[in-house]
Amino acid sequence: MSYRYTVQNHTYSFPDLKTLLAKASPYRSGDVLAGLAALTYEERVAAQLCLADVPLQAFLNEAIIPYEHDEVTRLIIDTHHSEKFKIISHFTTGELRDWILQEEVDSLVLQNLALGLTPEMVAAVSKLMRNQDLIAVAKKCEVITRFRNTLGLKGRLATRLQPNHPTDDPKGIAASVLDGLMYGSGDAVIGINPATDRPADAIKLLEMLDYLRDQFAIPTQTCVLCHVTTALAIMAQQAPVDLVFQSVGGTEKTNQSFGINLSMLQEAYEAALALNRGSLGTNVMYFETGQGSALSANAHGGVDQQTCEARAYAVARHFKPLLVNSVVGFIGPEYLYNGKQITRAALEDHFCAKLLGLPMGVDVCYTNHADVDQDDMDNLLTLLGVAGCNFIMGVPGADDIMLHYQSTSFHDALYARKVLNLRPAPEFEQWMQNQGLMNDKGQLLRVNKGHPLLQNAF
């Protein structure tokens, strides 16, 4: 089906929904690189106006990647909840935008609607929204998950303690873990990006983290971010795997480039559930995503990078994850050129994922060759905190010495919690107080050399 819109006596034509979505997307370098971006500002506005008039039903009738050729499309269509969709089935994209901004459409309404939405619908509506709109709606979406603590509650901001080391040295990692815990980091997960993907090394790191967590009864979960096939192998050896990690994309070909498919994720999900290691809940998956991954794998199929990203959330949602993380600035300037593009993409990712019912966190980050600096990241961190982001990263000094990119430090998380009156996950907060690391006002306490964590951790 083709789409047309006339602006000042000039009629813009868009041959299909896929093209219309791409042309309506805010400007970013990845879509330009792919040849999908609007050629002029006027064409982009025409596409947005045209997209606003598209009935939501059209997204169910016109697959942007054919059903027969892509298992992510099949997942989206086959799991769409028609009953929950009924409440908005008569809306156009523009009417959906206006409706979700209304005061009476609260967290409960949006939670009930989530399974009635497809990624293409939420991607489309995000293209019609200014940053303020993306923040306002995302803030209403409370998405709560549990494993050994409770994440996503309103008024809370969790952190992933990321103690990476360039050679996976256990002493270096342990020092970073203790440092982070002292700063109240690690309630989302204590998660290591390993330098290698060898099963024996993954088990070694997992056993070290599990020993520390168990010794001090820390109400959190640990993860070594190895490939899902490695996780399957070490779970078969009864390694202490709390969460299974995997990067996922929004097309079947993107996932093939990661060496995965939906069946493999299902096998890992069931294996993690069978370990039964959670004390409060059964959310056992941790996914990472990011705009541009489909383009970098030459697997976007003519779909713009933001819509591809939203389709990745359909993959994540199917496995009821504890955490989903958009590594928004990690992919580099070829896809998100500067601070403005990274900020916009992060707010879109957070909004789309929350609207689909996902526990979304964002790695507020950039690579050193992007046109961005720490002031841009401070702004983005604050915006995401206002928007109710579930979690951010806690990296020693904000400089990841294994992955070589800039993220948020333990101190950055403290800043966000303080200025926005946010607190850690409740179980973790209580543990901090019991350990003498935090008072009941959420203020960190000074720790001397005799603290049990420093004396007895390893």
Side-chain angles (χ1 to χ4, degrees), residues 147-149 151 187-190 219-223 242-243 322:
F147 190 77
R148 288 198 190 90
N149 56 22
L151 301 172
D187 44 349
V189 62
I190 302 175
T220 190
Q221 34 285 328
T222 65
C223 184
D242 288 345
L243 306 180
L322 181 77

Side-chain angles (χ1 to χ4, degrees), residues 50-282:
C50 186
L51 183 60
D53 292 336
V54 173
L56 294 179
Q57 188 66 43
F59 294 94
L60 299 176
N61 299 337
E62 184 179 349
I64 60 172
I65 299 178
Y67 183 93
E68 298 77 11
H69 301 162
D70 188 284
E71 67 173 3
V72 176
T73 299
R74 292 195 288 277
L75 176 71
I76 292 168
I77 298 299
D78 294 346
T79 60
H80 181 249
H81 200 299
S82 57
E83 282 299 314
K84 294 185 182 297
F85 179 64
K86 279 184 178 178
I87 191 172
I88 58 168
S89 61
H90 57 292
F91 284 169
T92 63
T93 307
E95 288 170 339
L96 176 62
R97 172 196 173 277
D98 296 343
W99 183 72
I100 60 178
L101 282 166
Q102 291 179 13
E103 194 70 29
E104 59 267 29
V105 179
D106 57 14
S107 181
L108 191 61
V109 173
L110 293 174
Q111 287 173 5
N112 190 53
L113 173 65
L115 292 176
L117 294 167
T118 69
E120 290 83 0
M121 292 177 194
V122 299
V125 76
S126 76
K127 298 174 193 295
L128 307 180
M129 302 178 85
R130 56 195 285 199
N131 287 1
Q132 182 184 104
D133 298 336
L134 297 173
I135 294 169
V137 174
K139 188 176 182 63
K140 294 195 287 188
C141 298
E142 187 178 43
V143 182
I144 300 170
T145 54
R146 295 180 175 89
F147 190 77
R148 288 198 190 90
N149 56 22
T150 308
L151 301 172
L153 293 166
K154 285 189 179 297
R156 307 278 175 173
L157 176 65
T159 59
R160 170 188 158 191
L161 207 174
Q162 186 170 300
N164 295 343
H165 191 281
T167 62
D168 290 341
D169 177 57
K171 289 184 178 178
I173 290 172
S176 294
V177 171
L178 292 177
D179 190 27
L181 290 172
M182 299 285 177
Y183 284 104
S185 184
D187 44 349
V189 62
I190 302 175
I192 303 169
N193 293 92
T196 77
D197 204 54
R198 289 191 291 265
D201 293 339
I203 292 173
K204 186 177 180 180
L205 294 175
L206 281 168
E207 289 178 343
M208 179 191 71
L209 294 178
D210 199 53
Y211 172 80
L212 175 67
R213 182 197 58 76
D214 187 59
Q215 184 182 15
F216 291 95
I218 307 172
T220 190
Q221 34 285 328
T222 65
C223 184
V224 171
L225 281 67
C226 54
H227 192 267
V228 66
T229 52
T230 303
L232 278 166
I234 64 176
M235 282 191 287
Q237 300 176 49
Q238 296 300 305
V241 174
D242 288 345
L243 306 180
V244 171
F245 166 83
Q246 183 56 52
S247 295
V248 295
T251 70
E252 180 177 334
K253 288 184 177 178
T254 307
N255 288 328
Q256 286 175 348
S257 76
F258 292 148
I260 62 166
N261 55 43
L262 298 181
S263 296
M264 195 180 293
L265 293 176
Q266 182 68 33
E267 183 182 358
Y269 174 58
E270 293 174 2
L273 284 176
L275 294 179
N276 195 29
R277 290 176 56 82
S279 56
L280 294 183
T282 56

Side-chain angles (χ1 to χ4, degrees), residues 64-65 70 72-73 75-76 118-120 122-123 246-252 254-255 258 260 262 265 287-294 303-321 323-326 349 352-353 356 358 360:
I64 60 172
I65 299 178
D70 188 284
V72 176
T73 299
L75 176 71
I76 292 168
T118 69
E120 290 83 0
V122 299
Q246 183 56 52
S247 295
V248 295
T251 70
E252 180 177 334
T254 307
N255 288 328
F258 292 148
I260 62 166
L262 298 181
L265 293 176
F287 294 114
E288 284 192 350
T289 67
Q291 289 193 27
S293 60
V303 178
D304 69 271
Q305 66 182 33
Q306 192 257 335
T307 303
C308 279
E309 170 72 3
R311 283 169 56 93
Y313 304 153
V315 175
R317 182 169 67 173
H318 189 62
F319 300 102
K320 302 176 176 59
L323 308 163
V324 181
N325 179 35
S326 169
D349 295 352
C352 288
L356 289 169
L358 283 173
M360 198 66 180

